[in-house]
Amino acid sequence: MSPRNTVARVLERLVIVLSVIILLMSVMSVVSMVMVQREVRETTRTISPLNEQSGRMRITMGTAQSSYRAYLLTDESGFRAEYLAARADFRAGEPVLRERIAAAGMDDDEADAFISDAQEWFRLADARVAGREGASVDRTHQAFAEVTSSHDALATQITDVRQQWRDRYTLVMNGAIALMGVATLVAIFVTVSQARRALDRLARPLQALHRAVSRHEPGEPLERTDLRDGADEVVALADAFSSLAASNASMQRERERRLDLYRLTGSVPALLTARDGGWDRACAVVGEGLGADTVSVHRLADEQSVTLMGSWDASGDEFAAVLQDVRIPGVAQMLAETPRLRADCTAEVERAFPPALARLAREQGLEGWALHPLCFGDEAVGVLSVATREPHAWDESELQAMERVAEYAAHTLVEQRYVTSLEDLDRQKSDFTATTSHELRTPLTSIAGYLELLVDGDFGELSPPQVRALDVVSRNVDRLRALIDDLLLLNRLDSGQADTARTRHDVRTGAARVTEQLAPVARAAQVRLELVQDDAPIPVSGDAQQFERAVGNLASNAVKFTPAGGSVILRTTRVGQEVHITCADTGMGIPAEDRERLFTRFFRASNAQEGHVPGTGLGLVIVQTIAEAHGGHVELDSTEGEGTTVTLVLPVTD
């Protein structure tokens, strides 16, 4: 590499030339600015103060004349004092004016004439003011005219001197500009010559390199450009850039591959949780994305065998199902302790895989094979198998994709295990509730029958205390029966076994029947029960009896928790595509800390328990369950001590 043909040398020459030019231009600019500044400073410090002093003394003379005339007309002492002050100011300004005339280098004849005329006028004015003879107004007027004339001559002289200073300032400026212009032309010439030299060595070779890069297609090597006339580093840069482009194309393909695999694996969780062949479709997506021939997912059945969850084979064969017939002692422990098991060819399969799996690979003609354990924590729950029938080197992006799929599959298997356990528990709970409720109904029916016989006197006359005791027993039997009925209804609703006759009907009808049924109860409790409904029908689709049961629970609760003298308003209103069945009471209300648990089974508000108001804590739960089963919901608003408003919202069917 020639030292004279390097980028550093070319730029060094250009920088040196530009630095010298900039330095010379800066020096010339500073010199010009100093000269101009000196001219401006002299003008400002000499001519301007002289002109100001001249004007100030002319104003003083005007003030003295005005005060003098006013005194002559009015004979007031104030005007006389002003006159005397103006005279004193003028006399104080005389030496200042002479000093500034000298500083400006001017002839002082005009200034002497102005001062002499002014002194003469003051002499005449003083005589007139003092009342002496020989001073008349006409003479002072003529003398002031001479003062004005001599001052005009002085002002003209000052103006001429100022113009001379300006001409000299302009000459200095024009000279500086001309000098700067010549220097600029010289600098431009030198700069252009050096820039052209740098252009030939740097810019044009770089432009040629840019054209080669612009014609470059992604993934292809750069076209080599002849840069023999360029700087040595530019030529070396072209060669290095060609290698870099090739490397970048490879990295870009790798990034795109990783991104494609990431998108591919992102769709796997939804497939794994789908019904009807979701595992098979997930295996197909993974196999096609990885370019494999067969993919399968297996769940560990025991310590030695697996159960097939899903499979895919590019040829349509059933290879993946064969794995479940292979028994490998300690396979669960092996999967838990081995992060991944993979082979790129047959020889590696024979060396790395257990004998049973190596034999299977030979039978199926597998070359590349990767087994990834499905682990949840430290527990192995299954295995992901990805295989090819040609040698295949598994790159890091493919292994990461397998790891993500294995993680999704492991979580899905564990979730399915938990869901199955929860479904079994829920089914057992429902069966237990249904069996227990049915078993309780039989003895309760017998108890109710014998109570009725006792009350009717079939076993002899009863005393009043006995009648009251049997009445208490009868009420508690009714409460137990209601509780059992509520439990059975909730069990049927939860399990989907409730008899649901979905019909299109007017929801106002059920509200009217509930109001009619509860009217006697409300009158007995001295509670005003009122029904407010829209005039037009409000059609809904669903089980009319369940709707009526939900509305009845709301209204009966409101009447039960409202003290005597209160009111309950049941209102049905259509709001857009919804019907709002609102039950508002003026009862005891619900404490704020209890509202979040109101829709929990068997939960009752604390003030209801303290007031010994009977109930099971299932009424609102039944209302909510019925509403959600029909696509609706329940809203509640309550203030303790003021009342409660519960709204049942259901969709309208037009």
Side-chain angles (χ1 to χ4, degrees), residues 44-61 86 88-102 111 114-115 151 154-155 158 162:
T44 303
R45 293 181 178 180
T46 304
I47 301 301
S48 296
L50 173 61
N51 190 51
E52 291 175 0
Q53 182 64 25
S54 172
R56 188 179 299 112
M57 295 182 69
R58 177 65 181 87
I59 293 172
T60 301
M61 288 299 299
D89 290 343
F90 185 85
R91 289 176 178 175
E94 290 178 4
V96 177
L97 178 63
R98 294 180 184 280
E99 179 182 351
R100 292 182 177 175
I101 287 287
F114 168 64
I115 293 174
H151 183 269
L154 175 62
I158 294 173
R162 172 178 285 181

Side-chain angles (χ1 to χ4, degrees), residues 263-316:
R263 291 171 178 167
L264 176 145
T265 55
S267 64
V268 169
L271 295 174
L272 294 178
T273 56
R275 298 179 181 272
D276 301 328
W279 288 82
D280 290 339
R281 291 195 297 274
C283 291
V285 168
V286 174
E288 292 171 355
L290 295 177
D293 293 319
T294 179
V295 177
S296 60
V297 180
H298 304 266
R299 175 175 55 84
L300 285 179
D302 51 40
E303 291 294 327
Q304 299 186 14
S305 60
V306 296
T307 300
L308 180 68
M309 297 298 297
S311 64
W312 170 84
D313 194 292
S315 63

Side-chain angles (χ1 to χ4, degrees), residues 352-478:
F353 279 67
L357 294 180
R359 183 175 63 257
L360 180 61
R362 290 194 300 272
E363 294 173 355
Q364 299 296 327
L366 301 182
E367 293 281 350
W369 197 2
L371 291 177
H372 203 296
L374 312 183
C375 293
F376 187 80
D378 295 333
E379 177 189 5
V381 297
V383 61
L384 168 67
S385 170
V386 181
T388 62
R389 294 187 174 89
E390 298 291 336
H392 183 85
W394 305 102
D395 59 35
E396 190 62 29
S397 61
E398 293 173 336
L399 295 175
Q400 290 177 357
M402 293 183 205
E403 185 174 354
R404 288 193 295 270
V405 173
E407 182 178 353
Y408 297 149
H411 280 79
T412 303
L413 287 175
V414 174
E415 287 175 3
Q416 289 180 352
R417 181 199 300 173
Y418 289 155
V419 169
T420 302
S421 300
L422 291 175
E423 289 176 347
D424 291 341
L425 288 174
D426 188 65
R427 184 169 53 255
Q428 293 174 15
K429 181 266 298 180
S430 299
D431 294 342
F432 173 77
T433 302
T435 302
T436 303
S437 300
H438 282 294
E439 291 297 327
L440 287 174
R441 288 174 66 91
T442 300
L444 277 177
T445 302
S446 176
I447 292 172
Y450 276 100
L451 279 174
E452 185 177 354
L453 292 175
L454 287 171
V455 173
D456 291 342
D458 291 349
F459 297 99
E461 289 294 329
L462 300 177
S463 63
Q466 290 174 331
V467 173
R468 289 195 295 272
L470 290 177
D471 186 40
V472 172
V473 175
S474 179
R475 287 198 302 271
N476 282 283
V477 168
D478 291 338

Side-chain angles (χ1 to χ4, degrees), residues 59-79:
I59 293 172
T60 301
M61 288 299 299
T63 302
Q65 184 191 31
S66 299
S67 302
Y68 163 72
R69 289 183 176 180
Y71 174 73
L72 293 180
L73 292 174
T74 62
D75 201 26
E76 291 185 4
S77 60
F79 290 116

Side-chain angles (χ1 to χ4, degrees), residues 168-181:
R168 187 174 64 182
Y169 168 76
T170 302
L171 180 62
V172 171
M173 286 290 296
N174 291 336
I177 292 173
L179 182 62
M180 292 293 294

